Amino acid sequence: MNTFIDKTRVNMEISHLHYISQGADGKAHLEHIDRVLKAGCNWVQLRMKNTAYEKVLETAHKAKKLCDEFNAKLIINDTMSIVQEVDATGVHLGQQDMSTAEARKILGESKIIGGTANTLEQCLDHLKNGVDYIGLGPLRFTSTKKKLSPVLGIEGYSSVLQKYLKNQNTVPIIAIGGITTEDFEALKSCGIHGVAVSGLLTQSQNLEEPIEQVFSIWQNV
């Protein structure tokens, strides 16, 4: 019998496509967020590393208004107090951030909590802590993160997911890290719930195409 917490109450709320914001400053982050929302994305993670708290807070307030306008979810990377101050949908925590267990104590059951993982063991730890989704990666090298965990590749995802799903764990796993449109089908075949992308959308000249592709592939079940 599976002894881990089954968070089925939010499974249907976890999008198949997560956009992780990029930009040289708050204005650029908001411009990119606005573009992806207009193109059909319904989930945004505001990620502003090495930025003054006040600037992140200011940007988060504006991002929340944009997401509300498009009925999209806003996840804040790392900073719990900003989640609370702007009433964001939830928080995403990396391996070096506050533990997902502590985050749940602070935020309660009303907020979505996601955690980063690189191994099966880390996924199972997050399950014990009551996360709503797990960001597993990276698929391959990405310049977005300075401290990059070992790359998994498609074979790595397949190995982790086989063991993860064998225990009837239902908390969605989102692939992250250097993902391209050519990876979508293979990742879905592994049992991945969806993908988190940053540069793929930030740098795209035709945002509708990759966004529509994700939803077409993952909703075709």
Side-chain angles (χ1 to χ4, degrees), residues 32 35 39 199-210:
H32 295 315
R35 287 182 65 234
L200 177 65
L201 295 186
T202 302
Q203 300 164 16
S204 176
Q205 298 302 311
N206 181 15
L207 283 168
E208 288 82 1
E209 185 173 333

Side-chain angles (χ1 to χ4, degrees), residues 137-186:
L139 170 63
R140 59 173 62 87
F141 175 79
T142 172
S143 60
T144 303
K145 298 195 72 172
K146 292 184 178 180
K147 295 182 179 179
L148 195 67
S149 298
V151 297
L152 294 173
I154 296 297
E155 291 185 1
Y157 278 105
S158 180
S159 176
V160 171
L161 266 293
Q162 282 181 9
K163 298 169 185 175
Y164 181 84
L165 297 174
K166 185 178 180 180
N167 289 325
Q168 299 181 336
N169 296 311
T170 59
V171 171
I173 290 186
I174 303 295
I176 185 171
I179 294 168
T180 69
T181 55
E182 288 76 20
D183 301 313
F184 292 168
E185 292 280 4

